[in-house]
Amino acid sequence: MALPKYDILIQPRCDRDGISHLSVSLRLDTPAVNAQDVLCEFAADVHGTATHPYTSENLCAKDDAGPLPLSPPPAPHSSSASSSSSSVWTLGRDAVGPVTLQLEVRPRAVDNAVAGAGVRFDLCRDQGGLLGCGGWFLPRVPRHERFRFSVAWDLTRVPAGAGACWSYGEGPGPTEKEGPLPLLLDSLFMVGPMRSAREEHGSGVSMVYWFGDLPEFLQPVKQFSKHMVPYAYGTFEDELEVYGIFVRKARKGTSGHNFASSLLLQYSDERGPVGDADLISLLTHELTHNWLYMGNNPGECPNMWYIEGIAQFYALFLPVRAGFRGAEYFRQVLNKFLCAYYTNPLIDVPLRETETNYYGDPRAAWTPYMRGFVYLLLIDALLRQASIFPERQNPIDDVVMSITRANRAGSPATASTWLDLLYQLLGKEVVDKQYQTLLLGGILELSTNFTFPVANNLFTLKTVDQETFELGFDSKSLRSHVVEGLLPGSRAAQAGLKNGDVAQHFSTAGMSLLDFGRRIPFSVLRAGSEDAITGEFWPRSFHTVGSFEAVQVEQDAKAA
């Protein structure tokens, strides 16, 4: 039986600053049929970003009988409406033949003064172009699991030289792809004065797309696409068809997010260039999300510790294994990750209790990443000690690939799968002890006896004392932009911050958890003062804890 079609034609529109909005036609050949049936629905948000607001003014439909009336969702002020619910559109009469939806899509207005530093999933203007996620403006269609998607672009109204791209191919198209709805909604759309770098790998291709001039510190992205993308596909036993890295300039922060066969890298000029190790580890982390996943059994703790922790693990090791980066990269990245785990004040807090503050507290946000990473680093080291091949770099690969193959075969792996595999290799007592520490909190004990063979070098660990992470004020100040809960005597207080200060600028505080010496610059307005008050502080307490740092073993010591 032929798959239902989901055909998209995108017509970009311009103003004096470049591409301003999109006129999108969706043709659905097997939609809802009867009056009051649900034709389509739009998610309320995409990873916390509110989706495009549709009304009868910017959404309409037609079929073979002419204009097709639709019943819009309740107005936001209605008692039956919910800001967290999806937007459902139903048929006002029986449909006759295929239905075409017409959407007028405009970038969301954002107050840059309070915009967060994370990845934005909405359609954003950038240097004359537009770039955003499909799930932000495209609808779900009920009653079907899989579709044959087609994306085409009408570029007749854009300036000469402008281009367009979907995660799976360049315009004007059409580009066709079969798969489930998330394949479309989790993909990227880009149009405008694009520039690109293309690398062919047999029958596959990796691409980098950007607007304007790619900054010098982002030039390694091209080499990453050339070398790391095909290497990762091979490592995780997948066939490369097309993979794109989409680069977008934003006002705040440098961050990334994985999408279907693509990733979005967002950068800014806020604090100058990002270091090479930070850039490559970020790209590798997002790339590995293509393959590494673990589902949940009912009643189990959510497995963000694995999803994010294993991505951190391979962000450390994969560039070195590929020969793309060397021993110094390994040392820098490992030291940052260890610092972020051991100096996090939430180290003793159960994972479940950190979930509620995941988006509001950088300590909670980093907990599944770094606790998961150290747990997996520990398991890998224990496997190496127990292995008949002690020089093998990452014996945990076998367990990870068993999980990945099960997911790919349609038998989703869970934490129970993970534990059963480890029981066979390390024994139940050892495995359960470490797993309970992961979930319930406590210190995951690495050892100075562990060794890590890396790029023809050998690393071990040394113990160090480091100050714990401490903002010095309530973390909700980062979102409200008003300082509150200031701790007397904290470094933030010593730097001059006061309760009630209105922040014009806080640097990305969360990154200071990884970077031990990093300061947080600030600019605030204070009642009674006309001028902004500026300064910086070290987000650390006066209390130290035990941590670890990587140490390279000398060659003669290795021989001995």
Side-chain angles (χ1 to χ4, degrees), residues 74-362:
H77 62 269
S78 168
S79 60
S80 61
S82 168
S83 60
S84 62
S85 63
S86 60
S87 171
V88 177
W89 293 75
T90 57
L91 295 175
R93 64 163 169 80
D94 293 353
V96 180
V99 172
T100 298
L101 272 175
Q102 187 68 34
L103 313 176
E104 298 301 318
V105 182
R106 293 184 176 275
R108 181 167 64 98
V110 175
D111 183 353
N112 284 329
V114 299
V119 166
R120 287 175 53 185
F121 296 84
D122 51 330
L123 198 66
C124 295
R125 300 192 75 161
D126 175 18
Q127 303 173 79
L130 290 176
L131 172 57
C133 166
W136 185 75
F137 66 95
L138 293 174
R140 306 169 184 154
V141 179
R143 285 173 292 279
H144 297 292
E145 297 291 329
R146 296 177 63 84
F147 295 84
R148 189 178 75 184
F149 301 107
S150 174
V151 175
W153 303 79
D154 178 352
L155 302 177
T156 56
R157 299 190 183 184
V158 301
C165 185
W166 178 37
S167 288
Y168 291 96
E170 297 180 359
T175 300
E176 295 188 347
K177 188 74 176 176
E178 294 183 358
L181 200 54
L183 180 147
L184 176 73
L185 302 182
D186 293 342
S187 61
L188 294 170
F189 293 79
M190 183 177 189
V191 60
M194 293 166 35
R195 305 180 70 179
S196 64
R198 178 187 179 92
E199 293 291 343
E200 296 188 1
H201 313 279
S203 60
V205 61
S206 59
M207 301 290 302
V208 182
Y209 299 100
W210 68 94
F211 295 122
D213 294 324
L214 194 66
E216 186 64 30
F217 75 91
L218 293 182
Q219 292 298 322
V221 175
K222 299 176 187 176
Q223 292 301 308
F224 183 92
S225 173
K226 180 178 181 179
H227 297 287
M228 284 302 301
V229 169
Y231 182 82
Y233 268 82
T235 297
F236 299 113
E237 301 174 357
D238 198 4
E239 182 178 351
L240 173 61
E241 295 180 4
V242 59
Y243 190 88
I245 301 175
F246 292 73
V247 183
R248 178 168 72 190
K249 187 175 183 179
R251 183 177 182 273
K252 294 183 179 180
T254 298
S255 53
H257 191 85
N258 178 65
F259 290 88
S261 292
S262 52
L263 71 81
L264 175 60
L265 175 65
Q266 184 171 286
Y267 74 96
S268 77
D269 297 326
E270 181 190 25
R271 290 205 67 191
V274 173
D276 180 80
D278 291 339
L279 175 64
I280 300 306
S281 63
L282 171 62
L283 290 171
T284 309
H285 176 106
E286 299 303 335
L287 176 61
T288 57
H289 277 318
N290 269 286
W291 304 281
L292 307 183
Y293 175 79
M294 182 183 288
N296 295 309
N297 284 326
E300 285 184 344
C301 182
N303 291 321
M304 287 287 287
W305 64 265
Y306 180 84
I307 296 169
E308 300 298 351
I310 199 65
Q312 293 292 84
F313 181 89
Y314 284 111
L316 171 65
F317 284 102
L318 216 59
V320 180
R321 285 166 48 173
F324 188 63
R325 290 295 184 269
E328 179 57 20
Y329 168 89
F330 178 86
R331 187 192 66 80
Q332 288 184 35
V333 174
L334 179 56
N335 286 348
K336 287 188 175 186
F337 289 1
L338 293 176
C339 173
Y341 170 68
Y342 285 102
T343 68
N344 189 335
L346 303 186
I347 194 169
D348 292 319
V349 177
L351 276 179
R352 281 191 181 277
E353 295 182 17
T354 68
E355 295 169 16
T356 55
N357 291 323
Y358 182 80
Y359 290 105
D361 185 339

Side-chain angles (χ1 to χ4, degrees), residues 7 52 63 87 93 111 133 149 156 158 160 171 234 248 277 316 350 354 407 435 458 473 475 498 516 534 557:
D7 294 342
H52 188 279
D63 62 6
S87 171
R93 64 163 169 80
D111 183 353
C133 166
F149 301 107
T156 56
V158 301
R248 178 168 72 190
L316 171 65
T354 68
N407 290 333
Y435 187 65
L458 191 67
F473 48 80
S475 61
K498 295 183 181 297
F516 184 66
T534 62

Side-chain angles (χ1 to χ4, degrees), residues 3-25:
L3 291 174
K5 294 180 180 179
Y6 191 128
D7 294 342
I8 305 171
L9 175 63
I10 304 176
Q11 299 173 301
R13 301 289 191 259
C14 298
D15 61 18
R16 63 183 182 181
D17 295 321
I19 310 297
S20 60
H21 65 285
L22 305 176
S23 182
V24 181
S25 297

